[in-house]
Each structure stands twice: as structure tokens, then as C-alpha cells.
Amino acid sequence: MKKINEFKLTLDSKSINESFARVVVSSFVTPLDPTVEEIADLKTAVSEAVTNCIVHAYRDTCGKIYISGSIDEKSNVKIIIRDKGCGIPDVNQAMAPLFTTGGGDRAGLGFTVMESFCDTVKVRSKQDRGTTVTLVKKIEGKAKW
């Protein structure tokens, strides 16, 4: 698919930047004339992925979160959230509903939420090298290019 538009963003893994990432992604898809629900879905999925980087990938340290996005000619939005943190030992286990390594204050629903709000979610991870989450969502609005 031919890319129509794309962006790249690097953030510190600080909680305050989670809302900034949400705003960037919602602004990026605006030319597609998304519904309020489509924007909310993308913002929620991005929020979950960025929060995973902050809470799990870097745990008690600050690292970088790399976010890129693209829109193709069929109005598919692809958002990639990547970190260079501790990695996930078992991706299948981590993606299971209610599984968490975050203790009692975490619900273990991050990947489940991402999957429910996006058309596809792919997770690749290597221990001590980081994790990449790819979110894809088709926007049904009328593109304004």
C-alpha cells in the first residue's frame, strides 16, 4: 500500500507524555475525517501501548519511546510504538487477558484493550532489547487530501 502521510516521534518514558502521544495520534488522523468513536479507539490503544512502555519496559528508569505512524491510500492507519526496555519473555502469555507483571494495581488488560479497539495488533519482543507494538485501524471517514 502506498503511504499518504507519516510521522515519527520520540518521547521520554514519563507518565506526562502518555497524553501527548494520544493527542499527536488523534491530530494525525484528523484529515481522514474519523468518527469520534474511531478517534477514541485509537487514542485508547495508543495510551495502553505507551503506558506499557512506561510501566513495564523501563520499570524504575526513564528511557525513550519511539512512535511512528502512517496512513495508506485505503485509509488504514498504522501506529508503531517501540521501546528499548527489558522486553517481554513470553509475548503469548503477556497478551492473555488478566496476565500482568505489574502487581496488584495493574489489571492485565492492556493488550486485550488494544486488540478490541484496533483491526490488528502485532507484538514483537526480545528480552533486554525491547518491544514493538504495531496497531492498525481502518478509518471509514472521507479523506481530505
Side-chain angles (χ1 to χ4, degrees), residues 40-92:
D41 290 353
L42 266 176
K43 286 170 63 175
T44 301
V46 167
S47 177
E48 291 294 336
V50 169
T51 298
N52 278 353
C53 295
I54 295 165
V55 172
H56 300 290
Y58 295 113
R59 292 197 176 106
D60 297 322
T61 187
C62 185
K64 297 292 182 190
I65 300 171
Y66 306 91
I67 305 173
S68 62
S70 63
I71 298 170
D72 70 22
E73 59 195 356
K74 295 202 178 215
S75 298
N76 293 302
V77 176
K78 180 190 283 187
I79 306 294
I80 300 171
I81 297 105
R82 183 174 60 89
D83 65 65
K84 294 182 179 178
C86 64
I88 301 170
D90 184 338
V91 171
N92 289 330

Side-chain angles (χ1 to χ4, degrees), residues 113-131:
V113 168
M114 288 180 235
E115 289 176 321
S116 68
F117 290 130
C118 292
D119 298 319
T120 61
V121 175
K122 293 181 183 173
V123 180
R124 289 183 295 126
S125 189
K126 291 186 180 177
Q127 275 198 281
D128 301 319
R129 305 222 30 218
T131 300

Side-chain angles (χ1 to χ4, degrees), residues 88-101 108 110-112 123:
I88 301 170
D90 184 338
V91 171
N92 289 330
Q93 182 182 38
M95 292 182 75
L98 305 178
F99 177 82
T100 185
T101 59
F111 288 121
T112 303
V123 180

